[in-house]
Amino acid sequence: MIDFTFQNPTRIHFGKTALSHLGEEVRRYGNRILLVYGGGSIKRIGLYDEVMALLKQENAQVWELGGIQPNPRLSPVRRGIELCRQNQVQLVLAVGGGSVIDTAKAIANGACYDGDVWDLFTGKGSNTEVLPLGTIVTIPAAGSEMSNSSVITREEDQCKCGRNTPLNFPAFSILNPEYTCSLPPYQTACGIVDIMAHMMERYFTQVENVELTDRMIEGALRTMLNNAPIVFEKPDDYDARAEIMWTGCLAHNTLLQTGRVGDWASHKMEHELSALYDIAHGAGLAIVFPAWMKYVLPRGGAKKLAQFARRVFEVPEAFGSEEAIAAEGIARLEAFYHSIGLTTTLHENSIGDQDFDRMAQRAVALAGGNLGFFLRLKAEDVKAIYQLAL
């Protein structure tokens, strides 16, 4: 285990009464509010009206930025920053899933930065202040409600960049699993894959003597495998939705990476997919992650992959060698993805190999020349993984 410092400042209100805490949070941070949200789902389930009624009770002035799309874009971020500056906004409030929250994070940072907000994502600029951010979560997936990360796509060149900074931690987040019961099965499935991927990226490490966090990740992955079938059979099962929602929050709040170095190659390779083809992030991860596993298996990855297979998917020793056990674990992961309605190849999503060179080169360039840490990847390795995903 390596040295680490851990701090997560986000205050969580979880459960059926969580929204009742919104008023006290507004009083803590200020009642000049930018409300950021996505499409019409929060209005269809009545959440928009509930939030607006609570804000009215606090005599809040509210400016709205709606229509945030999946795979969030830079242009709405810039519009949000202007709204904050023009109206002396005191609190940015995101209501939605990861794309809405990531957009709100970029706005909260950019509003306190004199230059172009994109500079913060490329490393050309930095800020030391941020507007307070609150979130009300409707899609358990990204874990952005308690994480230090955000990802934004610049439309003009389809460049998708992530930024990790302590300034990205929301001040508070409100999580009510009831808001997730109306999610379509596809969104639910993509969220489940994203949550699991956040844990698997951390799990596959070359750091030794990390048994505690290994076991925590394995247990959380088992929780996802146990509860996923329930929500597809009974979409309004509160208890199963709660397990998934809380796991998603803990999966990406930095606790599970303490004392270890994760990989993150699969996420960065998927960013190229979703930037170019606008595929849902979770759907892309269901394609990329098994291909990455197949590539690293014969290149020093057998021991950890076999441990994953035994402890998460209960692959028995009867399969023989570590390589065989690991391969069966990968097969069972793919079967799980299929069982929740997702595909595991690019061809099934009408994506060919025409952009592999471009995707591989940019993924490696954005990572500084080497992608991943479990196995260091060059552009030719990344291209080979995309080929495995065909």
Side-chain angles (χ1 to χ4, degrees):
M1 186 186 301
I2 61 174
D3 296 357
F4 65 89
T5 299
F6 174 75
Q7 180 180 4
N8 192 312
T10 304
R11 185 166 42 258
I12 297 293
H13 302 290
F14 189 98
K16 296 179 180 180
T17 63
L19 190 61
S20 66
H21 294 276
L22 180 59
E24 69 192 57
E25 295 292 358
V26 169
R27 292 191 292 274
R28 185 176 281 117
Y29 297 105
N31 65 355
R32 299 179 67 85
I33 296 170
L34 177 67
L35 183 66
V36 184
Y37 56 93
S41 63
I42 69 166
K43 294 184 177 180
R44 286 195 301 272
I45 66 175
L47 179 57
Y48 174 87
D49 290 337
E50 288 184 69
V51 170
M52 292 301 288
L54 288 168
L55 294 178
K56 184 177 181 180
Q57 291 177 17
E58 301 302 322
N59 297 313
Q61 291 181 268
V62 181
W63 292 267
E64 298 185 29
L65 181 66
I68 303 303
Q69 299 174 287
N71 295 316
R73 277 72 164 175
L74 182 60
S75 55
V77 171
R78 289 180 169 145
R79 290 201 301 272
I81 290 169
E82 286 305 308
L83 285 170
C84 288
R85 291 173 175 168
Q86 291 168 4
N87 300 289
Q88 294 80 52
V89 163
Q90 297 169 300
L91 172 68
V92 180
L93 181 61
V95 185
S99 295
V100 171
I101 298 171
D102 280 7
T103 299
K105 285 181 176 181
I107 292 169
N109 278 267
C112 298
Y113 174 65
D114 290 336
D116 182 1
V117 65
W118 188 247
D119 293 343
L120 300 178
F121 285 85
T122 61
K124 293 180 180 178
S126 63
N127 60 312
T128 57
E129 296 182 2
V130 63
L131 288 178
L133 169 68
T135 84
I136 302 171
V137 184
T138 61
I139 303 173
S144 195
E145 64 273 10
M146 203 181 183
S147 83
N148 64 351
S149 63
S150 66
V151 179
I152 297 293
T153 299
R154 185 170 61 180
E155 296 98 316
E156 52 260 41
D157 59 357
Q158 297 174 306
C159 182
K160 191 170 186 178
C161 272
R163 180 181 183 234
N164 293 345
T165 169
L167 296 171
N168 275 337
F169 284 116
F172 68 90
S173 287
I174 291 169
L175 290 79
N176 181 348
E178 291 177 315
Y179 300 150
T180 73
C181 292
S182 62
L183 285 174
Y186 180 73
Q187 273 191 302
T188 297
C190 289
I192 287 168
V193 172
D194 196 9
I195 291 168
M196 293 176 67
H198 287 155
M199 293 186 283
M200 293 190 298
E201 294 281 21
R202 294 172 165 95
Y203 188 79
F204 291 104
T205 182
Q206 295 293 351
V207 178
E208 297 183 348
N209 302 310
V210 286
E211 181 180 358
L212 174 61
T213 42
D214 267 2
R215 296 289 188 179
M216 291 168 70
I217 293 170
E218 291 156 3
L221 287 168
R222 289 295 309 166
T223 297
M224 296 300 295
L225 295 177
N226 292 340
N227 285 278
I230 297 173
V231 298
F232 288 103
E233 183 178 348
K234 302 175 182 177
D236 60 349
D237 190 301
Y238 177 87
D239 293 325
R241 292 284 186 182
E243 295 285 358
I244 290 172
M245 192 173 212
W246 187 227
T247 303
C249 195
L250 297 180
H252 205 35
N253 77 344
T254 73
L255 173 64
L256 298 180
Q257 68 195 39
T258 49
R260 60 200 298 143
V261 177
D263 185 68
W264 298 102
S266 295
H267 259 75
K268 294 182 187 301
M269 285 186 284
E270 195 292 319
H271 285 169
E272 295 303 315
L273 272 184
S274 50
L276 287 181
Y277 297 100
D278 208 24
I279 189 173
H281 181 50
L285 286 168
I287 297 167
V288 172
F289 225 118
W292 174 85
M293 288 176 161
K294 292 170 186 175
Y295 190 79
V296 302
L297 173 55
R299 295 170 175 83
K303 181 179 178 181
K304 194 73 175 188
L305 280 161
Q307 177 181 297
F308 171 83
R310 292 186 188 99
R311 296 182 182 179
V312 178
F313 283 98
E314 300 178 333
V315 177
E317 296 296 332
F319 274 85
S321 67
E322 283 195 330
E323 289 77 9
I325 292 170
E328 176 62 17
I330 298 169
R332 293 188 183 192
L333 176 65
E334 290 183 303
F336 171 73
Y337 291 159
H338 292 148
S339 76
I340 60 175
L342 295 181
T343 58
T344 56
T345 67
L346 293 170
H347 280 318
E348 290 172 287
N349 293 270
S350 302
I351 298 173
D353 61 1
Q354 63 272 18
D355 292 311
F356 283 1
D357 283 321
R358 172 187 177 185
M359 291 159 59
Q361 293 289 342
R362 187 160 66 178
V364 171
L366 289 172
N370 286 288
L371 189 61
F373 293 94
F374 188 70
L375 178 66
R376 302 293 273 172
L377 304 174
K378 297 291 187 182
E380 57 267 27
D381 301 303
V382 175
K383 184 178 179 180
I385 292 170
Y386 286 137
Q387 291 285 353
L388 284 172
L390 273 174

